[in-house]
Amino acid sequence: FAKELDRLARLSDGDEEMASHLQALKPMAEKGTASQDVLVQGFAALKPLLLRSTMDANEDLWTSIKRRLAVLISIRRTDAPGQEGPGLDGIVARAETALAKHDLAGAAATLGLLAGPANDLAKPWVEEASAHVESETHIQSVLDRAMALTVKN
């Protein structure tokens, strides 16, 4: 969306607040950001990899063994008590719940709590989701500022 951003910059008429948001969007405009649908699909592909990853920092050996056996059979609590745990299952369940509520920022923040190999697996998704949230925030700020300038004039 680099062309559209350049047009907006020309139309902003030197407004500093709008210019700062447009400047923040510039790096994202050049490479683009993933849509929410793409991120949801990416999470669906990431989830089994996370659940089958090696021990995280909060797991004991038995939990890690069970996780590795889950390659053959996948059993996971998805109810509220299953989401409260500090381990990998709880974090993934909370992120999944956040996504179901269209809370991309919450899902990214939750997955950011992962440690070790699971964190390494989730990091690209978290970065893409964070870029999407940041771009949406700046776009909304540009729209709000444009509306304020329209009303003012």
Side-chain angles (χ1 to χ4, degrees):
F1 57 95
K3 290 179 187 178
E4 292 82 357
L5 195 62
D6 286 338
R7 283 188 211 128
L8 272 174
R10 286 192 298 267
L11 294 173
S12 69
D13 198 29
D15 183 74
E16 290 183 26
E17 185 179 336
M18 189 176 294
S20 70
H21 291 295
L22 294 173
Q23 187 64 32
L25 283 167
K26 197 168 196 149
M28 293 175 242
E30 292 170 2
K31 65 178 182 175
T33 58
S35 69
Q36 182 146 351
D37 289 340
V38 167
L39 289 165
V40 168
Q41 291 170 359
F43 180 80
L46 176 63
K47 183 174 68 171
L49 298 174
L50 288 173
L51 293 173
R52 293 178 180 139
S53 67
T54 58
M55 281 176 55
D56 74 14
N58 299 318
E59 288 184 336
D60 60 17
L61 181 60
W62 178 244
T63 304
S64 178
I65 290 169
K66 288 190 304 186
R67 182 166 320 291
R68 290 179 183 164
L69 289 174
V71 170
L72 302 174
I73 301 170
S74 182
I75 300 172
R76 180 172 64 93
R77 289 185 73 161
T78 59
D79 58 351
Q83 293 185 19
E84 294 170 5
L88 186 60
D89 285 340
I91 291 171
V92 171
R94 288 191 302 275
E96 188 173 29
T97 298
L99 275 181
K101 295 177 181 176
H102 306 287
D103 180 8
L104 199 52
T110 300
L111 288 180
L113 300 173
L114 292 170
N119 180 282
D120 296 339
L121 281 171
K123 190 172 186 173
W125 187 92
V126 169
E127 288 172 352
E128 284 184 15
S130 296
H132 174 89
V133 170
E134 182 181 358
S135 70
E136 288 289 320
T137 301
H138 285 296
I139 289 168
Q140 187 60 53
S141 295
V142 166
L143 293 172
D144 292 346
R145 184 63 181 157
M147 183 64 75
L149 290 172
T150 302
V151 171
K152 181 180 173 183
N153 293 329

